[in-house]
């Protein structure tokens, strides 16, 4: 009997993602929310607007996330009765809105899963805390803490690395990236960096990549130190070492959005070209059926624990 058949009624799935402004008019409210209620300085807002303008004015993240929710719903429909509801960290519909939706349907139990494979208390942990606080005991809420080692996720990335690497010069290096976090997470033994390394090693093995490393990207603009090395600095090192090309695999991200379309496709690519490095980036997973199956498996596992 599938786990969804145990107990009474359907199982809710709280699918959580970062969120993005719906229009350019929403940029300031979005950035203020990201900054925990502190409005950005005019020059900070102008810089963010410049980067959004460079990718066409808005990010496709919400559209991609909705497609992932639909894909996950379809994957879970084969396993029992589930209701996938989408909640965002920094834009409507917020995590709290999604929890209210689930409670309003009469659902009594749910699984929360974040569209980020690697766990950190500062990232996935915050999503979980907000969901728990919103549920306030009204839902039996379990969580998928991480899914960085899901075979289907690793397979999907491995295929992308193998195909993209074949179009780069021999001797090119793969750089696996994730969003940087404040370096203070290292003081508490946070598993985030090691989980990215584990993903990178597994994907490189599947793709037959001989040369690879881990780097970080999109660090916050704050005075405190963030995890490094930054991907742009790694490009400098690779060029200095005579490496002919680089393939960036943003393993920590599962959708096209600003950190992919600007930070990598525009900024990192331009820097690589200045250095004489051949540059490529693996396509995002978006609503790849392998990703949706990986998420569905993680939800079912959480129900079984």
């Amino acid at each position: 009997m599938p786990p969804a058949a145990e107990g009474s009624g359907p199982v809710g799935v709280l699918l959580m993602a970062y969120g993005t402004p719906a229009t350019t008019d929403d940029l300031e409210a979005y950035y203020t929310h990201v900054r925990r209620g502190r409005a950005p300085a005019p020059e900070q807002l102008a810089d963010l607007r410049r980067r959004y303008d460079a990718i066409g004015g808005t990010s496709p993240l919400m559209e991609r996330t909705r497609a992932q929710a639909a894909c996950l719903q379809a994957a879970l429909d084969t396993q029992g009765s589930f209701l996938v509801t989408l909640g965002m960290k920094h834009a409507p519909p917020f995590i709290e809105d999604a929890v209210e939706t689930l409670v309003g349907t009469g659902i009594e139990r749910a699984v929360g899963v974040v569209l980020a494979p690697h766990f950190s208390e500062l990232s996935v942990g915050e999503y979980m805390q907000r969901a728990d606080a919103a549920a306030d005991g009204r839902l039996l809420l379990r969580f998928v803490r991480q899914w960085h080692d899901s075979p289907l996720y690793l397979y999907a990335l491995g295929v992308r690395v193998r195909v993209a690497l074949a179009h780069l010069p021999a001797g090119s290096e793969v750089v696996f990236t994730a969003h940087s976090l404040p370096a203070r997470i290292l003081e508490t033994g946070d598993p985030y960096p090691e989980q990215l390394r584990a993903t990178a090693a597994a994907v490189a093995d599947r793709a037959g990549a001989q040369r690879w490393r881990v780097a970080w990207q999109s660090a916050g603009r704050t005075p405190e130190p963030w995890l490094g090395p930054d991907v742009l600095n790694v490009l400098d090192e690779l060029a200095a070492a005579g490496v002919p090309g680089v393939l960036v695999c943003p393993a920590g991200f599962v959708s096209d959005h600003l950190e992919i379309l600007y930070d990598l496709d525009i900024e990192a690519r331009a820097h690589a070209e200045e250095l004489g490095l051949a540059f490529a980036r693996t396509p995002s997973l978006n609503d790849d059926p392998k990703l949706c199956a990986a998420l569905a498996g993680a939800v079912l596992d959480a129900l079984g624990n």
Side-chain angles (χ1 to χ4, degrees):
M1 179 179 292
E6 299 173 5
S8 58
V11 176
V13 177
L14 174 60
L15 184 64
M16 295 175 280
Y18 196 79
T20 188
T23 70
T24 53
D25 291 339
D26 301 315
L27 275 176
E28 185 170 5
Y30 167 77
Y31 203 179
T32 299
H33 197 277
V34 170
R35 290 167 50 83
R36 302 179 188 276
R38 294 177 294 112
E43 59 272 18
Q44 292 174 315
L45 183 60
D47 181 62
L48 182 64
R49 190 179 302 278
R50 174 188 62 82
R51 287 185 283 144
Y52 272 101
D53 286 345
I55 66 168
T58 58
S59 164
L61 178 61
M62 194 64 200
E63 176 187 350
R64 298 287 185 262
T65 306
R66 287 197 180 103
Q68 289 168 328
C71 186
L72 175 58
Q73 181 71 66
L76 288 170
D77 283 344
T78 66
Q79 303 296 319
S81 182
F82 291 87
L83 176 62
V84 177
T85 304
L86 187 60
M88 314 300 276
K89 188 177 184 182
H90 293 301
F94 290 104
I95 292 168
E96 293 77 9
D97 300 326
V99 169
E100 290 304 321
T101 296
L102 289 173
V103 170
T105 66
I107 282 176
E108 298 178 349
R109 59 196 179 118
V111 175
V113 58
V114 181
L115 285 167
H118 309 92
F119 179 84
S120 171
E121 287 291 349
L122 286 185
S123 59
V124 173
E126 288 193 0
Y127 289 83
M128 294 166 56
Q129 291 166 13
R130 281 179 55 180
D132 254 337
D136 194 24
R138 295 175 296 166
L139 282 174
L140 175 59
L141 189 55
R142 297 181 179 180
F143 291 99
V144 176
R145 287 177 60 86
Q146 67 269 321
W147 44 277
H148 68 284
D149 55 355
S150 163
L152 290 169
Y153 158 70
L154 298 174
Y155 174 84
L157 288 183
V159 169
R160 284 163 168 73
V161 170
R162 185 168 62 251
V163 170
L165 203 54
H167 293 88
L168 286 172
S172 294
E173 188 155 325
V174 184
V175 180
F176 295 92
T177 67
H179 202 299
S180 185
L181 289 175
R184 56 187 154 89
I185 69 168
L186 301 176
E187 300 170 4
T188 59
D190 195 282
Y192 187 64
E194 186 50 45
Q195 287 187 1
L196 178 61
R197 292 187 190 96
T199 292
V203 172
D205 181 63
R206 283 165 169 76
Q210 300 300 312
R211 297 175 59 97
W212 63 273
R213 68 173 70 188
V214 165
W216 304 95
Q217 65 168 89
S218 312
R221 291 164 166 77
T222 65
E224 68 177 319
W226 287 60
L227 294 176
D230 184 84
V231 64
L232 298 181
N233 294 332
V234 168
L235 295 181
D236 292 333
E237 294 175 12
L238 294 177
V243 174
V246 60
L247 172 63
V248 178
C249 175
F253 304 94
V254 296
S255 300
D256 288 323
H257 59 341
L258 187 69
E259 282 78 5
I260 301 294
L261 302 177
Y262 183 84
D263 294 359
L264 294 182
D265 289 358
I266 295 177
E267 188 176 46
R269 182 181 296 276
H271 192 58
E273 290 176 356
E274 290 172 358
L275 296 168
L277 279 171
F279 180 91
R281 190 261 297 174
T282 54
S284 296
L285 294 172
N286 292 321
D287 57 344
D288 186 311
K290 289 287 192 298
L291 171 66
C292 300
L295 292 169
V299 167
L300 294 174
D301 288 346
L303 280 174
N305 293 333

